[in-house]
Amino acid sequence: MRGSRLYMIILGIFLMLVFLFEYMAPHKFSWKPTFDRNDREPFGSYVFDDVLSSSVDNYTVTDLTFYRILQEDSSSCPRAFLLTENYFRFNDMDIESLYKLIHSGNQVMICTDNFPYALEDTLCFQTGFDNYLPSIDRYIRGRQNRDSLFFGTDTLNPEQIYEVYPQMHPVHLVEGKEKWIYEHAPATDDSVSIPNDSTFITDETDMIAEDTVAGRSDYRFFPINCDSMEVLVWNRKNRPLVIRAFIGKGELFLVSTPLMFTNYGILDRDNASYVFRLLSCMKGKPLTRIEAYGKHSGKARTPLRYVLFEPPLRWGVYSMLILLVLFMAFTARRRQRVIPVVKTPANRAFAFMQLISNLYYQKHENGEILKMKYLYFCAGVKRLTGADLQEGVPDEATCVRLSEKAGMEKETLRTLVKNINMAIYRSEIPDIQLKECIDGMNDLLHALKS
């Protein structure tokens, strides 16, 4: 027992020290983009959502896809949607629902540095990647130079330059897309047209020409597929970073700076004005940020699925289960024989006293009842004060001590004891006198105990 107690004390001190070291250790930030509403890391969206909730009217975050929004939204009021993800995919249903939302007068802003191929192919635009850069946390600690973003002039704001790190805009947009087009036509000597730009042609040129002898193959540039478009933001190489495309009654914003829409992005210098200037293009419509694509597409919907979805919580559950199995394995063996439980004998003195009292009461022997009560009374007084009242009427010193202890008059106490001693030796005691004597003894005992 002594060794186990020492072991538990040492283990408790060790765990407390580990907790203090972990609590006082500097926090290691995770620079992995998540765009999650509950993520407080630099590239989460907790602070971003909090700032927008207090600054933008009717700002909400939803887990619905474009298809479900189109199915569940029965209002005719135009709305604005914001999609911020690092990487995600669109299927044909997503593209169709997106175009229906925009054609009906809604505005959609898609912020990512890796646009899905289905959207690029449908809208006819491309994404160009800049040079490789080191991780942003090392870049910031090294106090490297910032890059410039040029926001064009509009009706309310002049042209403005924003100083940001290059990692905040690693890609740029190309306002069109080059595609191979195959047109079946009668074969002629000039039926095959091969572009001169060797950057797009590989050793497969001869194979393409051989397969298209009966037709015409051409490499064409298609401009962006929309009613009209304009570039809102450029980088220092005069390449577009934000494009606004007008489609039907609505607008589609292609933004290649998604990290500006994160906790770090909105708190770094005056980047908040960049974000709010882009959002002001939504013309004050109710804004909804969508968390239904990318990593959020498999987001947990129940508390248990959420615990199993998050790696730290999942490993915590696994560790707890492993420890529980080990505990059951090591404590399953019986270390000693079962000790029988010995019940203590019941105290029947009180029951016997009740039986005798009822017997005296039924036979109306008030004298015997008073004698028994007086014996217990004298025992209680002797236990509390040390005075023995069985010898008769107490002397002067005893009366003084009892009166001071009980807070009663000395003569009242002497009279009570004298009346009780006189009543005990009578052959018959009236009920009224019995009650007075018992009440007096109870009052004296209560006064002595208090």
Side-chain angles (χ1 to χ4, degrees):
M1 180 65 71
R2 201 169 188 180
S4 62
R5 183 181 300 174
L6 180 62
Y7 170 76
M8 294 300 295
I9 293 175
I10 295 175
L11 181 61
I13 295 175
F14 174 74
L15 293 177
M16 187 177 298
L17 291 176
V18 170
F19 173 77
L20 290 176
F21 282 129
E22 289 293 331
Y23 181 78
M24 299 176 64
H27 177 69
K28 296 181 180 179
F29 292 103
S30 174
W31 295 86
K32 185 177 181 180
T34 61
F35 300 95
D36 190 88
R37 73 184 80 174
N38 299 317
D39 191 0
R40 299 171 183 257
E41 297 296 332
F43 289 153
S45 294
Y46 178 83
V47 178
F48 176 80
D49 287 340
D50 185 64
V51 172
L52 260 66
S53 299
S54 59
S55 304
V56 179
D57 295 335
N58 299 324
Y59 175 76
T60 57
V61 182
T62 182
D63 297 329
L64 303 179
T65 61
F66 287 119
Y67 174 77
R68 292 184 59 188
I69 291 174
L70 190 63
Q71 296 296 321
E72 298 182 8
D73 188 11
S74 59
S75 62
S76 59
C77 178
R79 297 170 58 189
F81 299 96
L82 175 64
L83 174 59
T84 56
E85 286 292 342
N86 190 33
Y87 174 78
F88 62 98
R89 293 181 178 179
F90 272 168
N91 53 33
D92 295 338
M93 186 176 297
D94 293 323
I95 295 293
E96 183 180 356
S97 303
L98 174 64
Y99 269 80
K100 285 183 179 179
L101 280 173
I102 297 174
H103 270 282
S104 61
N106 296 288
Q107 293 176 304
V108 178
M109 181 176 292
I110 300 178
C111 308
T112 181
D113 53 9
N114 198 341
F115 288 91
Y117 175 78
L119 182 63
E120 290 184 349
D121 190 64
T122 304
L123 199 59
C124 291
F125 74 97
Q126 290 178 311
T127 303
F129 294 88
D130 294 331
N131 296 330
Y132 172 77
L133 294 171
S135 61
I136 188 170
D137 56 335
R138 287 184 295 171
Y139 200 85
I140 293 174
R141 288 197 299 267
R143 299 181 180 273
Q144 302 294 329
N145 295 329
R146 291 174 176 256
D147 208 346
S148 300
L149 301 184
F150 300 90
F151 207 122
T153 306
D154 53 29
T155 56
L156 297 178
N157 301 290
E159 181 179 357
Q160 188 170 353
I161 300 176
Y162 295 93
E163 300 293 333
V164 299
Y165 290 107
Q167 289 85 349
M168 305 296 284
H169 61 97
V171 300
H172 63 273
L173 302 176
V174 180
E175 307 163 63
K177 189 176 181 67
E178 294 181 351
K179 298 182 180 180
W180 278 103
I181 302 299
Y182 301 99
E183 297 179 356
H184 295 284
T188 61
D189 295 338
D190 300 330
S191 60
V192 179
S193 175
I194 304 299
N196 294 326
D197 192 354
S198 60
T199 58
F200 298 98
I201 304 300
T202 61
D203 294 337
E204 300 176 355
T205 303
D206 297 336
M207 180 182 66
I208 296 173
E210 182 179 354
D211 294 340
T212 57
V213 172
R216 178 180 178 83
S217 175
D218 204 353
Y219 199 67
R220 299 182 186 177
F221 179 83
F222 289 85
I224 190 168
N225 183 20
C226 60
D227 298 337
S228 61
M229 54 83 63
E230 64 174 336
V231 179
L232 299 181
V233 182
W234 299 264
N235 61 10
R236 60 183 177 86
K237 296 181 181 180
N238 202 26
R239 292 173 178 174
L241 297 180
V242 179
I243 294 177
R244 171 159 56 182
F246 298 90
I247 303 173
K249 298 180 181 179
E251 300 173 5
L252 174 63
F253 295 86
L254 303 175
V255 182
S256 62
T257 57
L259 297 182
M260 303 287 281
F261 294 79
T262 58
N263 300 333
Y264 179 82
I266 202 169
L267 295 177
D268 182 33
R269 290 194 176 184
D270 58 345
N271 292 350
S273 63
Y274 170 86
V275 174
F276 282 104
R277 185 169 176 180
L278 277 178
L279 295 179
S280 66
C281 299
M282 303 289 193
K283 302 176 182 178
K285 295 183 178 67
L287 180 60
T288 301
R289 191 171 72 86
I290 298 176
E291 282 191 354
Y293 297 96
K295 295 181 180 179
H296 298 92
S297 59
K299 199 171 182 180
R301 305 292 178 181
T302 62
L304 180 59
R305 287 179 62 88
Y306 176 79
V307 170
L308 297 178
F309 183 77
E310 297 293 333
L313 298 178
R314 181 173 65 248
W315 280 107
V317 172
Y318 291 162
S319 302
M320 183 180 65
L321 292 177
I322 293 173
L323 290 176
L324 182 61
V325 171
L326 292 176
F327 175 78
M328 294 175 62
F330 284 104
T331 58
R333 297 178 301 172
R334 182 180 298 173
R335 297 183 179 180
Q336 62 181 6
R337 294 181 180 180
V338 178
I339 300 175
V341 178
V342 179
K343 296 183 179 180
T344 57
N347 187 2
R348 302 186 179 276
F350 184 73
F352 177 76
M353 183 182 66
Q354 285 184 326
L355 179 62
I356 298 300
S357 300
N358 291 332
L359 182 62
Y360 288 155
Y361 182 77
Q362 291 174 2
K363 292 185 177 182
H364 204 71
E365 295 180 358
N366 293 343
E368 296 297 330
I369 294 175
L370 184 59
K371 287 179 182 179
M372 295 296 296
K373 177 63 178 176
Y374 186 70
L375 289 176
Y376 285 109
F377 168 73
C378 293
V381 172
K382 189 174 183 179
R383 185 180 69 255
L384 295 173
T385 63
D388 190 3
L389 299 181
Q390 291 184 354
E391 298 178 355
V393 179
D395 55 6
E396 185 69 17
T398 305
C399 289
V400 171
R401 185 172 57 182
L402 290 177
S403 63
E404 292 177 353
K405 181 71 175 178
M408 298 176 59
E409 293 292 334
K410 182 175 61 175
E411 294 299 325
T412 303
L413 193 145
R414 187 193 300 272
T415 303
L416 173 63
V417 177
K418 182 178 179 181
N419 292 337
I420 293 174
N421 288 325
M422 292 175 61
I424 288 176
Y425 297 101
R426 291 182 182 178
S427 59
E428 293 183 0
I429 301 175
D431 293 339
I432 297 177
Q433 187 177 5
L434 176 66
K435 185 177 184 305
E436 291 176 355
C437 293
I438 291 177
D439 291 342
M441 288 186 286
N442 290 335
D443 292 341
L444 180 57
L445 283 176
H446 181 71
L448 292 174
K449 291 179 181 179
S450 61

